[in-house]
């Protein structure tokens, strides 16, 4: 009776709840489990329809082959490079967004200057302009700056962030003014105050935001698809689409497609599972 | 929008601090958006060499184009289905998790990780399960007498992208519903129980109304997700087909602009999308403003 207090404990209802949850977990896990099973079989097993619910014995060959040597098909380089590109992009987006947003929030909270309000609204407007909306003109700008097929072209257009700026602004507003006064009394300049007081005080917010933004960055799809035209620059997500569409038309390489899918989802899923508390905090703080 | 009471003096420094964010905003957001706005008023050839002012003709053509009207319909069906499915499942699982006692944390862990799966990857996983020749689900459906082939059947293709998109989004809704449920004061539920209200009556009369702000917030987020973040789901599996069965507005703007190089029409479509996002963002922000105090 600990948590439920005066509310009746209906055994049937509790049992139904557990049943539903187990069903829910199965529905969530099943697609990934089936993909894992498929990724451990040799390609020929798909033709004979022998793939069931049990893993095969080709896990090492399939994964090591993909990462080191590639799918053995024309135009599909080893996936090691794509994984590396995805990692760089995810880190670049997360670190970039956090850095420019925390600086903006600092400027907006701790200074008074002409056009402060204008700056705030300019940042706010980015919320209304996701890349899907300004797809072609943004592509033209990036092409004009010769940033196609570069990490800069992948990262820069995605790192303006109103949400992160607002989050840091909220954090800064809760920091008592006495602290700023004390710092100023001690002769600390604005940058020293920022670096030695604001950044350490925002540590958990930064970490939580980092978790969310890393997942966001890793999972970018449309933008890398447009900006990276040659295979050497493709990310793991754009590789999987190309592999799936070409490969299933010619020869059934489902084992390799599924191994690529597992490689693509493993890093961000691991981040959630290992940093669950920060993830939940980040998600509810940014609400987006 | 207030600032701190105690501030730092400085003329140049605040601008330097804002410079990176504003530079990116102007170069990659405002400039392209302005270009889309103006581009929508011109007829252009594919290479941008010849330009002619045509006023609102691009919009007129757009709303008379059967393919565009069809995409509006598809987007509506797709988004409503994704939002409804993922909200309903998220709520049911959150309610169940609330009843699960000590195991709630474990269930939550097992249920939230699909948030990290990219929409395109989720789509590939569902394609594999429903693949007409090797998929387990397709085989199961065939045993039930349903022949499944999402490469040929438009309705089935739409169902596939809806399932994959909803599957990935359940975890997000579950987290917010779960937090919403935990925030409902226990004495309220207890009082209703003492008054003889059973679990279903308590849900209908107390829990669901108290969850209304969460539900509304999630509805906006889910519609935004279904509109804009599911491009990967469609691109990686159906490619908008068969025919135009899974061509949503965002997929169409990509296809017409990036593959078809029809700049005028693509810009006009971008502007329509812009109006939709602006509306959704405004609705969401008004809601947050009321809930949280900035």
């Amino acid at each position: 009776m600990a948590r439920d207090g005066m509310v009746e404990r209906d055994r049937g209802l509790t049992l139904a709840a557990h049943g539903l949850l187990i069903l829910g977990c199965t529905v969530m896990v099943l697609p990934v489990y089936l993909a894992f099973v498929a990724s451990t079989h040799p390609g020929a097993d798909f033709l004979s329809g022998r793939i069931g619910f049990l893993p095969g014995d080709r896990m090492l060959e399939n994964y090591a082959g993909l990462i080191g040597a590639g799918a053995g098909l024309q135009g599909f380089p080893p996936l090691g490079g794509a994984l590396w590109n995805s990692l760089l992009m995810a880190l670049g987006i997360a670190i970039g967004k956090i850095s420019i947003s925390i600086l903006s929030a600092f400027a907006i909270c701790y200074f008074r200057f002409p056009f402060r309000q204008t700056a705030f609204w300019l940042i706010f407007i980015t919320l209304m302009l996701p890349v899907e909306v300004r797809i072609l003109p943004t592509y033209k700008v990036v092409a004009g700056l010769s940033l196609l097929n570069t990490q800069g072209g992948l990262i820069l257009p995605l790192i303006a962030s109103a949400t992160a700026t607002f989050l840091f602004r909220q954090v800064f507003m809760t920091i008592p003014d006495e602290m700023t006064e004390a710092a100023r009394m001690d002769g600390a300049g604005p940058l020293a105050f920022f670096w030695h007081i604001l950044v350490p005080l925002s540590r958990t917010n930064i970490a939580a935001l980092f978790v969310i933004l890393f997942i966001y960055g890793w999972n970018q799809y449309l933008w890398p698809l447009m900006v990276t035209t040659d295979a050497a620059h493709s990310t793991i997500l754009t590789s999987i689409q190309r592999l799936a569409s070409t490969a299933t038309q010619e020869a059934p390489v489902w084992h390799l497609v599924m191994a690529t899918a597992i490689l693509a989802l493993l890093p961000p899923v691991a981040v959630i599972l290992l940093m669950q508390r920060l993830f939940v905090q980040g998600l509810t703080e940014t609400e987006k | 929008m207030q600032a701190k009471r105690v501030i730092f003096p400085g003329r140049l420094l605040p601008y330097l601090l804002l410079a990176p964010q504003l530079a990116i905003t102007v170069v990659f957001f405002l400039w392209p958006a302005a270009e889309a706005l103006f581009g929508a008023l011109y007829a252009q050839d594919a290479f941008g060499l010849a330009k002619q002012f045509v006023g609102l003709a691009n919009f007129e053509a757009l709303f008379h184009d059967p393919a565009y009207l069809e995409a509006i319909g598809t987007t509506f069906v797709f988004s409503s289905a994704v939002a409804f499915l993922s909200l309903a499942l998220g709520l049911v699982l959150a309610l169940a998790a609330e009843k699960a006692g000590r195991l709630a944390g474990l269930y939550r862990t097992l249920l939230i990780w699909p948030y990290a799966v990219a929409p395109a990857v989720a789509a590939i996983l569902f394609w594999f399960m429903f693949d007409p020749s090797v998929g387990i689900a397709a085989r199961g459906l065939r045993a039930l007498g349903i022949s499944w082939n999402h490469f040929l059947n438009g309705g089935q293709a739409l169902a596939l992208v809806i399932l994959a998109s909803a599957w990935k989004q359940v975890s997000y809704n579950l987290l917010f519903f779960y937090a919403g449920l935990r925030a409902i004061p226990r004495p309220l539920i207890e009082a209703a129980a003492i008054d003889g209200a059973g679990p279903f009556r308590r849900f209908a009369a107390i829990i669901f109304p108290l969850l209304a702000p969460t539900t509304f917030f999630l509805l906006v987020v889910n519609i935004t997700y279904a509109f804009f973040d599911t491009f990967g789901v469609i691109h990686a599996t159906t490619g908008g087909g068969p025919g135009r069965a899974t061509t949503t507005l965002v997929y169409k703007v990509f296809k017409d602009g990036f593959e078809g190089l029809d700049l005028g029409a693509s810009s006009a479509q971008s502007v329509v999308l812009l109006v939709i996002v602006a509306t959704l963002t405004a609705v969401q922000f008004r809601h947050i403003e009321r809930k949280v105090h900035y």
Side-chain angles (χ1 to χ4, degrees):
Chain A
M1 296 289 271
R3 210 180 116 64
D4 268 351
M6 307 306 285
V7 180
E8 85 279 351
R9 279 194 306 175
D10 187 328
R11 280 200 156 221
L13 211 62
T14 313
L15 221 61
H18 282 285
L20 264 173
L21 287 164
I22 290 166
L23 189 70
C25 293
T26 313
V27 170
M28 289 300 150
V29 174
L30 193 66
V32 175
Y33 178 73
L34 290 175
F36 171 72
V37 167
S39 74
T40 57
H41 280 269
D45 281 8
F46 292 88
L47 284 175
S48 53
R50 259 180 297 169
I51 310 281
F53 290 90
L54 291 176
D57 55 358
R58 294 295 185 88
M59 180 171 166
L60 265 175
E61 286 99 314
N62 287 351
Y63 283 88
L66 262 180
I67 295 172
L73 296 160
Q74 197 72 45
F76 290 101
L79 283 184
L83 284 167
W84 176 245
N85 289 340
S86 281
L87 180 70
L88 285 183
M89 178 176 70
L91 288 176
I93 289 175
I95 294 169
K97 269 193 189 239
I98 290 173
S99 314
I100 67 171
S101 300
I102 198 167
L103 291 176
S104 312
F106 178 50
I108 283 177
C109 285
Y110 283 94
F111 293 89
R112 280 201 195 105
F113 52 95
F115 301 110
R116 182 168 149 271
Q117 199 82 17
T118 318
F120 183 82
W121 282 108
L122 283 178
I123 296 169
F124 181 82
I125 276 178
T126 58
L127 269 185
M128 310 213 177
L129 302 170
V131 75
E132 290 82 358
V133 167
R134 54 197 161 83
I135 188 164
L136 213 57
T138 313
Y139 176 82
K140 282 205 293 193
V141 169
V142 171
L145 294 171
S146 327
L147 286 174
L148 295 182
N149 286 314
T150 63
Q151 279 291 335
L154 274 181
I155 294 169
L156 285 176
L158 297 175
I159 63 172
S161 178
T163 334
T165 309
F166 294 165
L167 172 71
F168 283 122
R169 188 177 157 268
Q170 247 176 307
V171 174
F172 293 167
M173 292 315 274
T174 62
I175 292 172
D177 282 334
E178 288 70 24
M179 248 167 171
T180 326
E181 267 164 1
R184 287 190 58 177
M185 215 92 85
D186 289 346
L191 291 178
F193 174 73
F194 173 77
W195 194 246
H196 295 296
I197 294 179
L198 284 188
V199 172
L201 282 176
S202 324
R203 217 173 33 223
T204 48
N205 306 88
I206 293 174
L209 196 58
F210 181 85
V211 168
I212 299 294
L213 292 177
F214 180 85
I215 296 169
Y216 164 86
W218 183 276
N219 287 346
Q220 283 303 310
Y221 184 80
L222 171 61
W223 189 242
L225 192 73
M226 294 173 65
V227 177
T228 58
T229 44
D230 76 87
H233 288 93
S234 62
T235 64
I236 188 81
L237 280 191
T238 52
S239 311
I240 187 179
Q241 183 270 333
R242 293 192 312 127
L243 190 60
S245 56
T246 4
T248 46
Q249 278 157 18
E250 288 150 22
V253 288
W254 275 113
H255 56 307
L256 300 181
V257 177
M258 288 299 117
T260 313
I262 296 287
L263 288 173
L265 66 80
L266 211 56
V269 168
V271 165
I272 285 200
L273 293 179
L274 296 176
M275 290 172 243
Q276 204 181 134
R277 230 166 36 88
L278 284 175
F279 163 69
V280 174
Q281 185 194 339
L283 203 62
T284 42
E285 269 177 355
T286 52
E287 293 206 312
K288 180 118 183 136
Chain B
M1 200 249 331
Q2 82 277 34
K4 304 289 278 188
R5 196 170 44 77
V6 182
I7 53 162
F8 287 98
R11 267 159 198 242
L12 192 59
L13 188 59
Y15 294 106
L16 287 177
L17 293 169
L18 278 166
Q21 174 102 294
L22 291 181
I24 300 234
T25 304
V26 170
V27 174
F28 296 111
F29 286 73
L30 299 182
W31 173 256
E35 194 150 306
L37 275 174
F38 286 112
L41 304 175
Y42 287 87
Q44 281 182 60
D45 64 37
F47 306 100
L49 298 174
K51 245 187 184 183
Q52 198 198 346
F53 184 79
V54 292
L56 295 179
N58 284 327
F59 291 98
E60 224 181 292
L62 199 59
F63 285 105
H64 282 106
D65 178 6
Y68 193 69
L69 299 176
E70 202 181 307
I72 293 179
T74 308
T75 309
F76 183 76
V77 173
F78 174 79
S79 314
S80 329
V82 170
F84 176 78
L85 265 179
S86 54
L87 280 171
L89 288 176
L91 177 59
V92 168
L93 290 173
L95 285 167
E98 246 263 302
K99 281 245 164 284
R102 266 169 308 172
L103 287 176
L106 177 68
Y107 283 126
R108 197 180 72 166
T109 306
L110 285 171
L111 288 167
I112 60 171
W113 60 269
Y115 174 86
V117 178
V121 174
I124 297 271
L125 299 180
F126 273 72
W127 171 3
F128 177 61
M129 288 196 296
F130 285 92
D131 186 80
S133 52
V134 300
I136 284 182
R139 224 185 297 157
L141 285 170
R142 214 171 306 132
L144 294 173
I146 303 166
S147 102
W148 179 279
N149 190 338
H150 59 262
F151 295 111
L152 301 175
N153 183 319
Q156 291 177 353
L158 191 57
L160 180 82
V161 289
I162 288 171
L163 283 179
S165 309
W167 174 79
K168 188 227 129 80
Q169 189 67 2
V170 169
S171 49
Y172 184 92
N173 297 335
L174 166 84
L175 264 176
F176 279 88
F177 275 132
Y178 188 70
L181 283 173
R182 307 267 302 201
I184 295 176
R186 292 302 297 173
L188 222 56
I189 310 276
E190 285 169 8
I194 291 167
D195 286 347
F200 293 99
R201 175 119 172 80
R202 288 202 298 273
F203 175 75
I206 300 172
I207 297 174
F208 192 68
L210 283 175
L211 279 180
T214 310
T215 313
F216 180 74
F217 159 75
L218 286 176
L219 185 66
V220 178
V221 171
N222 279 270
I223 290 175
T224 312
Y225 162 78
F227 259 72
F228 297 101
D229 296 338
T230 52
F231 171 84
V233 174
I234 292 162
H235 185 263
T237 53
T238 64
R244 294 192 295 251
T246 52
T247 300
T248 58
L249 290 172
V250 167
Y251 192 76
K252 192 164 165 51
V253 83
F254 167 80
K255 214 171 160 187
D256 289 358
F258 200 64
E259 288 176 357
L261 293 175
D262 184 349
L263 299 184
S266 164
S267 298
Q269 291 183 37
S270 290
V271 173
V272 173
L273 287 176
L274 205 144
V275 173
I276 296 173
V277 197
T279 314
L280 286 169
T281 313
V283 170
Q284 188 181 344
F285 256 77
R286 283 195 58 160
H287 168 75
I288 293 175
E289 291 265 276
R290 258 185 294 144
K291 204 177 60 169
V292 200
H293 204 73
Y294 272 101

